[in-house]
Amino acid sequence: MTQPQGTVQLPPQLSTIAPEVDAMYYAIYWISVASFVVIVGAMLYFSYKYRRRPGHEAKPAGHATVLEITWTVAPIFLLAWLFHAGFVTYMHGVVAPDNARDVRVRGMQWNWEFEHEGGVIDELNVLKVPVGHPVRLIMSSSDVLHSVFIPAFRVKRDVVPGMYTTLWFEATHLTEERTCERDADCPEAHFCGRADANGVRTCALPLFCAEYCGAPQGIQDSAGRNTNHSTMLAEVRVVSQEAYDRFLEEGPPAPAHCDAAEDPAACWGEGLFSQNGCNACHSVDGSRAPGPTWQGLWGSTRQFADGSSGVADENYIRESILQPQAKIVTGYSGVNMPPYRFSDRQIDAIIAYMRTLSE
Amino acid sequence: MTVEAGTAIPSSSSHAEEPNYLTHETGLKSWLFTLDHKRIGLMYLVSVLLMFFLGGVMALLVRTELLFAGETLMEADTYNKIFTLHGAIMVFLFIIPAIPGAIGNFFLPIMLGAKDVAFPRLNLLSFYIYCAGTVLALVAIVVGSVDTGWTFYTPYSTRADSSVIWMTGAAFVLGFSSILTGVNFISTVHKMRAPGLHWKRLPLFIWGIYATSIVQVLATPVLAITLFLLIMEKTLSVGVFDPALGGDPVLFQHFFWFYSHPAVYIMILPGMAIVNELIATFSHRKIFGYMFVAMSSLGLGLVGFLVWAHHMFTSGMSEYATMVFSALTFLVAIPSGVKIFNWVATLYEGSISFLSPMLYGLSFLVLFTIGGVTGLFLATLATDIHLHDTYFVVAHFHYVMVGGTVFGFVGGLHYWWPKMTGKMYDEKLAKVSWFLVFVGFNVTFLSQFVMGSQGMPRRYYDYLDQFQPLHMASSGGAYILGLGFIIMSFMFVKSLRSGAKAPRNPWASAGYEWMTTTPPHPHNFEETPVMTRGPYDYHLCTEEELWDGFDEDFQPSKKAKA
């Protein structure tokens, strides 16, 4: 699929709403050009024709009520049309289709976090979306105002602390998987994303923060990314619907910083433990908490409320995460842990982390 | 018809001995405690020009940082403070007080044929309140290191420290200066007009300043309410704007723009007011559709109160509110269009001379038209969503605020300079600086339109490589613009030091302010003038009124006369 080209004024149209918005843009543009040519043309022509010169006198200005009323009233029709057309297109961009897939967006100084269906949290500042299917962003902020702006999709909405805002779009073109070293290597309106664990960078569409959110005081922005308002920049990757479903199934890959860890899987598991809030109910040092501590849990024999018992092995842990109510450890009957959706690889990582707590 | 008007005109031979407001009293005290609106106007002029210089330096620092992607001059944090300084200084300390405070103070009473404003002591007080507010703002900005942008959006602005309260406090104090000047001008226009100066003869400059004054008096108190709520929140933890306390950050935006949108008209109406005088004088013709133009000023003032939320289409307010504010915003186009059409129609069958003030007047028409039509993109909901908070918006409001108000102000400064200082300036240098300012301005901001529609967000310290060429063009334009202003400053300083003596009426204008001596008499007119014709009735002017009273060598207008 070839990427559409942008114009001098507008980036390429990569969403379903973009052609509609651009049609409006160009309608206003040509109205503007016409008005400008008439007004400035008349100004220049009169300035030349009636320039001050010997033998030329100004004529007193008369009254022309009909003319005045004409140019007062006539623009109203044009303006009413502009308002109406703009509003209709705007509403198309506001009301999401019923089958839209939800992505929760959390803005924070100075990162974006994206949580997909089933609680799959992608790596920071990466938004994967399926091509040809509407996606609704449900957005919140944990600190100050931010704003999600994806120029190629022609969408923007402020992200406001204390309330949810939403926007939706349907991407029409796959993002080409192209490695790059700088923005110039990428297709039009794309940029060269952050390096992954192997130092490879790939092209993506920019998602800007459009509402000013400051900078840390006195910290030098040498790395160039995600340290202030202008670098609160996420990579939008439009993938096929199959790839998106696979992503939801498998979850995101291990974070890059774990590649260097002694036990990469345990490193990932530790991250998931805190990112998903497991630590709210499970301690890792044996202390009492709403749920059983993870210290020494792995491999121990569990006594269950129904009188049976079992060894905490892979299958037990997996079941306890996906179906927490299947086996209740004695003493924890009143606790209702919700089911968590993790990919197999993530569960493996959590188990790897748990094992380190029993060594 | 013109006999009585003629009697008010001093003869050309005697004006060397006339007392004038600059020299009839001397010493520092005679300035600091003066009640003369002309001297207060000059003090305002010096202050606002100083602020314009400061704000301009900030602008050049911003453009230099953006010359290249990544760090060029300063860190992100410093950059944020600099662009905040640029915005806050230019808006609160320069543009809002510039025309009413400096030129309005000086010429409003003269154009009314009055001896002074209605309340001269109040006038001096409002100048000192302006000074106090300026000091407060500069201290708040420097000590409190405000980095919020000039809009102070919560909760960013209330998180770190209380500097936003000091800053809003400064705006509050400055607001009082605005309100008092407004009250003074409204009273003066209603009560102090010379005999024969009825409402239909009122110069359009006065109509514009009058409309501005009404907006100032009505809108500015809202700023006080906002400040009060901010203080309540900070000191008593009453949740108003901070969601952590159960407040609503969008409410702050409503409050802020409820003042600051009318403030946009406080800025642009005086610019339009000056352009009326420039076009009339240099076309030798009454402004076409005089009453429509006068009423359109009041119309803009009124509509300006109803459109504040068009700054907030993406803010998360309800779609109904969005719809209503979009519809109301389009109404602004009508009075603005009426003005533009009438100004162009004034040129028709005029006698147009292209002296430097007129070049600014004509530039205003071109630039304000661009500023106006680009407003259509932003009033239309579908396109505003894409363009909001991008460089497109930055370019749009600079076309209105700089291309409109500043070009009007600078044009007015050229136009009334001889009357204010008694000195002529170097017309060639004035034209060179106009050319640089005009070209530099367009290069700076036309490139920003394209950047914005391509998706470059505003208030960015760093940017993607794709925007590099246009950022360089924009910075290059800013340097040309800066050079233009440097040459202009040199030109004005040269005029003060060695400028030729200005005649009574160097532009051959029928305006009332040119009937008095240059520089004006301490009491404006030796005796109360009686207005027997309108300020644009060129066909009713005598030869002497228009063309006499100056030495031909210094008079470019006269050379073109048959």
Side-chain angles (χ1 to χ4, degrees), chain A residues 9 52 68 90 156 209 212, chain B residues 147 319 342 352 388 453:
Chain A
Q9 295 186 58
R52 191 168 299 175
E68 295 287 348
Y90 170 76
K156 183 181 292 121
C209 176
Y212 175 68
Chain B
D147 69 339
E319 313 307 347
N342 279 301
I352 300 155
H388 180 79
S453 59

Side-chain angles (χ1 to χ4, degrees), chain A residues 7-9 11 47 50 52 56 58-59 68 71 76 90 156-158 183 209-212 214 220 229-230, chain B residues 80 147 156 284-285 289 314 319 334 342 349-352 354 385-386 388-389 453-454 459-460 462 465:
Chain A
T7 62
V8 172
Q9 295 186 58
S47 296
Y50 302 107
R52 191 168 299 175
H56 172 72
K59 291 208 178 78
E68 295 287 348
W71 67 35
I76 293 176
Y90 170 76
K156 183 181 292 121
R157 195 73 159 178
D158 287 7
D183 294 351
C209 176
E211 187 64 66
Y212 175 68
Q220 195 165 357
H229 169 52
S230 71
Chain B
N80 291 345
D147 69 339
Y156 184 78
H284 266 195
R285 197 160 185 260
T314 69
E319 313 307 347
I334 294 165
N342 279 301
E349 293 192 330
S351 167
I352 300 155
F354 301 97
I385 297 305
H386 177 61
H388 180 79
D389 267 333
S453 59
Q454 286 287 358
R459 295 175 170 176
Y460 262 33
D462 198 359
D465 293 345

Side-chain angles (χ1 to χ4, degrees), chain B residues 415-477:
Chain B
Y415 177 59
W416 284 304
W417 181 266
K419 183 60 78 182
M420 290 193 284
T421 64
K423 301 283 179 68
M424 293 306 291
Y425 54 81
D426 185 335
E427 175 69 15
K428 272 208 187 84
L429 270 183
K431 278 187 170 138
V432 168
S433 65
W434 163 80
F435 180 77
L436 291 174
V437 167
F438 184 77
V439 170
F441 174 79
N442 280 299
V443 172
T444 308
F445 292 105
L446 277 179
S447 47
Q448 293 192 8
F449 277 124
V450 181
M451 265 193 271
S453 59
Q454 286 287 358
M456 172 75 211
R458 67 191 286 205
R459 295 175 170 176
Y460 262 33
Y461 166 68
D462 198 359
Y463 48 84
L464 299 181
D465 293 345
Q466 67 174 105
F467 299 112
Q468 179 72 65
L470 287 167
H471 267 298
M472 288 187 85
S474 181
S475 295

